Amino acid sequence: MLPTERREKIIEKLEKEEFLELKYLHKSLDISMETLRRDVQQLVKEDLVSKEYGGIRIKKENNGESIIEKRLNKNLAMKQQIAEKALTQIEDGDCIFLDSGSTTLQISKELRKRKNLTIITNSIPVMMEILDQGHTIISIGGKVRASEQSITSYDFLFNFDRLNIDKAFICCSGISFEKGITDYNLEEIETRRKILNISNLKFLTADSSKCNQIVTVKICELTDIDTFITDNNLDNDFKVKMKKLSVNVL
């Protein structure tokens, strides 16, 4: 296993448990303590985890959310899988919405393989990525949220009722059968709700580490989306339950 893959697994475990003992990681990853200490040292250097007595804890913002720069390379292989699947759902000439998030940023990198798209987004990194791809870009106006490099203010969205959005690609931080689709920031959630209401097809794009997780605020019910696009590590039971709700899983 490559060092980056090991560190991704450590972060995945921490996102579920928040604190893990080093002796547990040593056994579960089947690596030497020396190798584990090097991985931990690198994660501390990247400001993703903090060391505590006997273990490590994932670092988060005061509201529990990690900023986008710290998430960009987390679960990167999974997000690239999602991006490749998402591209199969996008046709030349489509009008699409790309949410703010590290997963949709990976999708934006694939869009140079399509022609004449109209891309609506509230993500500054997505805008920068697609700027030279030859597509039409529409930015949602509003307040800039520095931590996520996004633009959020649903009061500015009323003119979007006039748009015919073919496909919306939405991100989240938690997916559960108890609470539906959840995230942290209320302003971004209101933007997502508005976009979902005016979009013909609704895609949830999230890696499998978000499954069975519940965070601060509910975006919508699972049944409000048409398709869940995720990586190849999704638990089969979760997939079966989603399909019972008539949600397509890619």
Side-chain angles (χ1 to χ4, degrees):
M1 189 186 302
L2 295 172
T4 52
E5 294 174 327
R6 285 199 310 272
R7 291 166 198 154
E8 279 186 11
K9 287 187 176 296
I10 292 171
I11 293 297
E12 285 174 30
K13 292 176 183 293
L14 278 173
E15 286 184 326
K16 295 177 181 178
E17 303 294 334
E18 292 198 5
F19 176 83
L20 291 173
E21 294 183 344
L22 292 180
K23 61 183 180 181
Y24 165 78
L25 288 169
H26 163 59
K27 291 181 180 178
S28 65
L29 296 173
D30 192 25
I31 57 176
S32 68
M33 284 301 294
E34 183 180 352
T35 298
L36 177 58
R37 288 192 184 98
R38 284 199 299 267
D39 287 338
V40 168
Q41 184 178 9
Q42 182 61 34
L43 291 171
V44 170
K45 184 178 178 181
E46 293 173 6
D47 204 28
L48 292 172
V49 307
S50 58
K51 291 173 68 176
E52 296 185 13
Y53 181 76
I56 55 175
R57 185 179 300 277
I58 195 165
K59 291 192 74 172
K60 295 184 177 180
E61 298 296 288
N62 292 334
N63 67 349
E65 183 178 18
S66 55
I67 64 174
I68 191 168
E69 294 98 326
K70 297 178 183 177
R71 298 203 314 260
L72 289 180
N73 293 320
K74 195 188 300 181
N75 300 335
L76 183 58
M78 295 182 183
K79 291 168 185 174
Q80 289 170 337
Q81 288 175 7
I82 294 168
E84 290 171 3
K85 293 178 183 181
L87 186 67
T88 67
Q89 305 302 302
I90 300 171
E91 300 176 354
D92 292 349
D94 275 348
C95 175
I96 67 172
F97 172 78
L98 284 185
D99 201 359
S100 63
S102 53
T103 301
T104 45
L105 178 60
Q106 293 303 316
I107 295 173
S108 71
K109 295 178 180 180
E110 296 289 324
L111 296 183
R112 60 181 68 253
K113 299 174 184 176
R114 295 292 181 265
K115 297 178 180 178
N116 302 321
L117 299 176
T118 298
I119 303 167
I120 303 164
T121 187
N122 61 336
S123 168
I124 296 170
V126 166
M127 286 182 230
M128 297 304 295
E129 181 64 38
I130 61 179
L131 205 55
D132 65 347
Q133 293 184 11
H135 304 303
T136 299
I137 304 168
I138 299 175
S139 168
I140 291 177
K143 182 173 69 177
V144 174
R145 187 167 174 240
S147 65
E148 288 297 289
Q149 298 180 27
S150 62
I151 302 170
T152 62
S153 190
Y154 53 90
D155 289 340
F156 290 82
L157 286 174
F158 64 93
N159 286 331
F160 281 74
D161 288 331
R162 301 177 185 176
L163 288 174
N164 178 24
I165 300 177
D166 298 311
K167 298 155 187 175
F169 296 85
I170 303 296
C171 296
C172 71
S173 295
I175 310 165
S176 73
F177 293 101
E178 297 79 14
K179 297 293 183 179
I181 302 167
T182 54
D183 213 302
Y184 290 99
N185 184 268
L186 183 59
E187 289 179 333
E188 292 214 352
I189 285 169
E190 290 294 346
T191 299
R192 288 170 183 145
R193 288 173 181 166
K194 181 66 176 178
I195 291 295
L196 287 171
N197 284 337
I198 61 176
S199 299
N200 295 326
L201 291 176
K202 305 159 184 70
F203 296 85
L204 176 65
T205 58
D207 65 71
S208 55
S209 70
K210 308 291 175 58
C211 295
N212 297 313
Q213 302 294 314
I214 300 171
V215 299
T216 315
V217 187
K218 186 172 184 175
I219 302 172
C220 63
E221 300 288 351
L222 290 172
T223 50
D224 290 329
I225 63 167
D226 299 300
T227 301
F228 175 34
I229 306 179
T230 189
D231 57 82
N232 298 331
N233 299 323
L234 182 66
D235 180 82
N236 191 59
D237 289 341
F238 199 96
K239 185 184 297 186
V240 169
K241 289 180 181 178
M242 291 288 276
K243 289 185 176 180
K244 285 182 178 178
L245 295 175
S246 298
V247 177
N248 185 35
V249 179
L250 294 181

